[in-house]
Amino acid sequence: MSILGLKKKQPKTFKVKASTMDAEMEFSCEVKWKGKDLFDLVCRTIGLRETWFFGLRYTVKDTYAWLKPDKQVLDQEVPKDSPITFHFLAKFFPEKVEDELVQEITQHLFFLQVKKQILDEEIFCSPEASVLLASYAVQAKYGDYDPNFHKPGFLAQDELLPKRVLMQYQMTPDMWEEKITAWYAEHRNITRDEAEMEYLKIAQDLEMYGVSYFSITQNKRDTELLLGVDAQGLHIYSPNNKLSPNKSFPWSGIRNISYSEKEFTIKPLDKKKEVFKFYSSQLRVNKLILQLCIGNHDLFMRRRKVDSIEVQQMKAQAKEEKARKKVERQILAREKQMREEAERAKEEMERRLFQLQDEARMANEALLRSEETADLLAEKAQIAEEEAKLLAHKAAEAEQDRQRLEVTALKTKEEKRLMEQKMREAESLAVKLVEQSERRLKEADHLKQDLNEAKDAERRAKQKLLEITKPTYPLIAAYSSPPPPTGPESPDMTVDMGGSIRMDFKDSDMKRLSMEIERERLEYMEKSKHLQDQLKELKSEIESLKLEEQQQAGLYSLRSYAEPPYIPHSNRNSAYMAQMAFYEEV
């Protein structure tokens, strides 16, 4: 059996990988599928109904192209790899995002694509606008700001600002995060779709938003220009300035656009205006420009007509969906608030429970301590009772001691009175003795004076006697008369010489007077010594009484009762000196 003529079977399907901005999908497609079949499959898979904004883009050599809906996929210049890779992206941009974008999935896809273009610097954005857009992006991703959860550094792994902005200022990542967080904290209670819509509202006012740029030349001399195609029309830019167009052709003012090979012709609606021509170097790029011009012009005309029934239904459904979600958010917010309140109440109850447990534990510890304290107090009370009995006994003894001291004090007072009386008597006796001593001294002085006068008179008499008796001495010797008697028994001698001189010489009287004076002096000395002994005895008695009072009660001072006897200053003698020694000791 021959196998010649058998044909190799062709595969009936091919693999496709479609990537959106946040997901990747793989499909098995039939060979006969057109671009529209694959595009619809992707839209159904992600739940997109606003399909007119999007397309499947693929890369061809050094440029890109969009999959044509009315031509088979494999008949187009798609990559021959398996699976074939397509990027599901926005091909056309709305004029006003808040009016034209209905579905949340549409808003989300636009948000992701515009955000990537800003971060890749395909759309120029000022630093201030970049920070504000970043804050809405953070709100869309993380929800409401919570300082307890969103700690410093929580944005370290997120790409939020263009590199050009980061390099323009000498700021650390922490400083940029602080600026973004300051705006982010003000977006509280904004949902994810609302935050993404606010992001798009700010982004649509940027000069490069939604513009597709192509290199062109205005004439055959190759003057380089840039052609910008967006939802408003066509714009001509200088190569180094993509922000401000040199010339613009709005869709409402264009009558026709045509190209022949590399030449494009823009015919204004006003026939008086000059026709604008430009040239593109590649045929593939020319076809892409034409597709974008046709699609943007169709959408421009469509916006100015009444919405189709499909769009009206979508908007009504979107409105109902937003209202439903708003109610759900309100209910969720109430539930969240109630849950937070319940959690706070639970935490409060737990805290209160812990507090009560602590209080109970402390109360038990206090009870144990109080029991221990009660036992200790009982023991102390017993000790105090014993001490009270002992103190009562001591008080009774003290009372007895006090009574004894009172009796002793009375005795001491009596003794002190007697001592004072004795002191007064001693003082009066001393005064009398001093007076007697003074009198005796005066008498002794008189006697001494009389004795001296008598001795002088005797001496003078003897002298005169010698003078008288000297011439008659030999006669007397011749007669050998005996000498005159001397001694106490000798009679008084009287010499009468011519009756002019007479003298009585009494030596015994002088001796007797001297003996009496000496006797009185000795008596005075004995009395003075006796007085000193009495004073010393009185001082010792006073000292013993003073010591006894200090030991028993300490209530009396003997110093006030130890006043010395008064003796006149002019009559100080040995007795007075003894009294002064007594005063110094007291």
Side-chain angles (χ1 to χ4, degrees):
M1 184 175 181
S2 176
I3 59 173
L4 298 175
L6 292 177
K7 294 182 179 180
K8 187 178 180 180
K9 292 183 178 180
Q10 296 292 330
K12 294 182 181 181
T13 60
F14 60 94
K15 298 294 183 180
V16 172
K17 182 173 72 173
S19 300
T20 64
M21 296 301 298
D22 59 351
E24 288 185 356
M25 298 165 287
E26 290 189 2
F27 303 101
S28 179
C29 304
E30 296 180 5
V31 176
K32 295 182 180 180
W33 274 15
K34 295 181 179 181
K36 185 177 184 304
D37 299 326
L38 178 59
F39 179 77
D40 291 342
L41 177 61
V42 175
C43 291
R44 287 195 303 271
T45 303
I46 63 177
L48 180 68
R49 296 179 64 184
E50 297 175 275
T51 58
W52 48 86
F53 292 111
F54 297 90
L56 290 172
R57 196 177 75 177
Y58 58 93
T59 303
V60 180
K61 295 181 181 180
D62 56 347
T63 184
Y64 65 88
W66 295 94
L67 186 66
K68 296 177 182 178
D70 54 352
K71 191 175 181 179
Q72 289 185 0
V73 176
L74 296 178
D75 290 343
Q76 302 184 44
E77 295 179 335
V78 296
K80 303 304 180 182
D81 301 332
S82 181
I84 303 173
T85 302
F86 294 96
H87 296 280
F88 189 84
L89 297 171
K91 187 177 181 180
F92 307 106
F93 289 80
E95 294 182 19
K96 292 184 179 181
V97 291
E98 65 270 23
D99 295 336
E100 296 184 46
L101 300 183
V102 179
Q103 286 185 289
E104 289 186 11
I105 182 62
T106 309
Q107 297 177 13
H108 184 61
L109 291 174
F110 267 100
F111 164 74
L112 294 177
Q113 184 170 340
V114 172
K115 176 185 172 184
K116 187 175 186 305
Q117 289 177 335
I118 291 175
L119 294 178
D120 294 343
E121 300 183 19
E122 295 177 7
I123 298 176
F124 177 82
C125 185
S126 64
E128 294 80 6
S130 299
V131 174
L132 181 58
L133 290 173
S135 67
Y136 279 111
V138 174
Q139 177 70 22
K141 182 177 181 179
Y142 293 101
D144 290 342
Y145 173 70
D146 186 358
N148 297 323
F149 179 75
H150 300 107
K151 301 292 184 180
F154 76 104
L155 298 178
Q157 303 300 324
D158 294 330
E159 186 181 3
L160 299 171
L161 297 173
K163 293 182 180 179
R164 174 184 51 80
V165 175
L166 295 175
M167 298 297 293
Q168 187 174 353
Y169 298 94
Q170 294 180 353
M171 294 176 63
T172 62
D174 294 337
M175 297 171 67
W176 284 115
E177 180 180 309
E178 184 179 355
K179 280 186 169 295
I180 294 172
T181 306
W183 284 100
Y184 166 47
E186 297 184 0
H187 303 330
R188 183 173 294 277
N189 298 326
I190 296 180
T191 60
R192 190 194 77 168
D193 57 320
E194 291 174 347
E196 292 177 351
M197 180 57 70
E198 293 297 327
Y199 189 100
L200 292 174
K201 285 181 182 180
I202 297 171
Q204 73 179 355
D205 294 331
L206 301 176
E207 288 79 1
M208 297 176 67
Y209 166 81
V211 181
S212 299
Y213 295 93
F214 301 94
S215 297
I216 61 171
T217 57
Q218 189 174 1
N219 49 44
K220 294 182 179 180
R221 288 177 294 182
D222 295 333
T223 302
E224 293 184 358
L225 295 174
L226 287 176
L227 173 67
V229 184
D230 64 2
Q232 302 292 334
L234 299 176
H235 311 281
I236 308 300
Y237 299 88
S238 299
N240 56 356
N241 185 4
K242 294 183 179 181
L243 301 178
S244 301
N246 299 332
K247 186 180 293 186
S248 295
F249 300 94
W251 297 120
S252 59
I254 297 176
R255 179 162 53 92
N256 186 19
I257 298 175
S258 62
Y259 82 96
S260 174
E261 293 183 356
K262 297 181 180 181
E263 183 183 54
F264 269 85
T265 302
I266 301 175
K267 295 181 180 180
L269 188 62
D270 188 0
K271 294 182 180 181
K272 294 181 181 181
K273 291 184 178 181
E274 182 181 359
V275 175
F276 184 79
K277 293 182 179 181
F278 60 89
Y279 298 88
S280 178
S281 59
Q282 298 181 11
L283 181 60
R284 187 182 298 109
V285 175
N286 294 338
K287 292 180 180 180
L288 179 58
I289 293 173
L290 185 61
Q291 287 180 6
L292 292 176
C293 290
I294 294 172
N296 277 296
H297 184 268
D298 290 343
L299 287 176
F300 178 80
M301 298 303 294
R302 181 176 177 176
R303 293 186 192 103
R304 276 124 186 104
K305 296 179 182 179
V306 180
D307 293 334
S308 63
I309 296 176
E310 181 183 5
V311 174
Q312 291 178 8
Q313 290 177 352
M314 288 172 55
K315 288 184 177 181
Q317 291 176 359
K319 187 176 181 181
E320 293 176 358
E321 185 71 14
K322 288 182 179 180
R324 183 181 63 79
K325 287 187 176 181
K326 184 176 180 181
V327 173
E328 289 179 353
R329 287 198 299 270
Q330 292 176 353
I331 295 173
L332 183 62
R334 284 199 301 271
E335 291 178 352
K336 182 179 179 181
Q337 183 179 2
M338 293 173 63
R339 184 170 63 252
E340 290 176 353
E341 291 177 355
E343 290 178 354
R344 286 196 296 269
K346 181 181 177 182
E347 292 176 356
E348 180 65 22
M349 292 179 65
E350 290 178 351
R351 187 187 63 79
R352 182 60 179 166
L353 178 61
F354 291 151
Q355 183 179 359
L356 291 175
Q357 289 177 352
D358 292 338
E359 291 178 357
R361 179 178 56 78
M362 294 173 65
N364 290 329
E365 294 177 356
L367 179 61
L368 294 175
R369 288 196 298 271
S370 63
E371 291 176 355
E372 295 175 356
T373 306
D375 296 337
L376 183 61
L377 289 176
E379 185 178 356
K380 287 184 177 180
Q382 185 177 0
I383 295 173
E385 186 177 358
E386 294 176 357
E387 290 179 351
K389 292 179 180 178
L390 182 60
L391 290 174
H393 181 66
K394 288 184 178 180
E397 292 180 352
E399 180 64 21
Q400 294 176 0
D401 292 339
R402 186 186 65 79
Q403 293 175 359
R404 285 197 300 272
L405 289 174
E406 288 180 354
V407 173
T408 305
L410 292 175
K411 291 180 179 179
T412 305
K413 288 181 179 179
E414 182 65 21
E415 292 175 354
K416 185 168 67 174
R417 186 182 61 77
L418 294 175
M419 292 299 298
E420 290 176 352
Q421 184 177 358
K422 289 181 179 180
M423 288 177 65
R424 287 194 293 272
E425 292 176 355
E427 288 177 358
S428 61
L429 179 60
V431 171
K432 290 180 180 179
L433 290 175
V434 169
E435 291 176 354
Q436 292 178 3
S437 174
E438 290 177 354
R439 189 171 59 254
R440 293 291 184 179
L441 286 174
K442 289 180 180 180
E443 292 177 356
D445 290 338
H446 289 301
L447 291 175
K448 285 181 180 181
Q449 187 176 2
D450 294 338
L451 179 60
N452 291 330
E453 290 177 356
K455 287 182 177 181
D456 290 338
E458 181 183 2
R459 182 178 53 80
R460 288 192 302 269
K462 286 180 178 181
Q463 184 69 28
K464 288 181 178 183
L465 181 60
L466 290 175
E467 290 177 357
I468 294 174
T469 58
K470 186 177 180 181
T472 62
Y473 181 74
L475 181 61
I476 295 172
Y479 289 108
S480 301
S481 62
T486 59
E489 286 87 8
S490 59
D492 294 338
M493 182 178 290
T494 302
V495 179
D496 188 5
M497 295 184 64
S500 59
I501 298 173
R502 183 180 177 88
M503 179 179 178
D504 295 333
F505 181 73
K506 295 179 179 180
D507 192 12
S508 60
D509 293 335
M510 295 296 294
K511 290 182 179 179
R512 187 173 57 253
L513 180 60
S514 296
M515 290 176 65
E516 289 179 359
I517 292 171
E518 184 66 22
R519 187 177 64 252
E520 289 179 359
R521 187 180 67 80
L522 292 175
E523 289 178 357
Y524 172 76
M525 292 298 292
E526 288 178 359
K527 289 181 181 180
S528 177
K529 184 177 180 182
H530 179 68
L531 179 60
Q532 289 180 3
D533 293 338
Q534 286 183 349
L535 289 174
K536 287 181 181 180
E537 183 180 357
L538 180 61
K539 183 182 73 172
S540 62
E541 290 179 1
I542 292 172
E543 287 293 332
S544 62
L545 288 174
K546 180 179 178 182
L547 180 61
E548 184 178 359
E549 285 184 357
Q550 288 179 354
Q551 289 178 353
Q552 290 181 357
L555 302 174
Y556 302 99
S557 175
L558 190 58
R559 187 177 184 88
S560 60
Y561 301 103
E563 295 294 335
Y566 174 76
I567 298 175
H569 183 271
S570 59
N571 299 323
R572 291 179 182 174
N573 50 20
S574 60
Y576 178 69
M577 296 302 293
Q579 290 176 5
M580 289 300 296
F582 165 71
Y583 292 156
E584 290 175 359
E585 289 179 1
V586 175

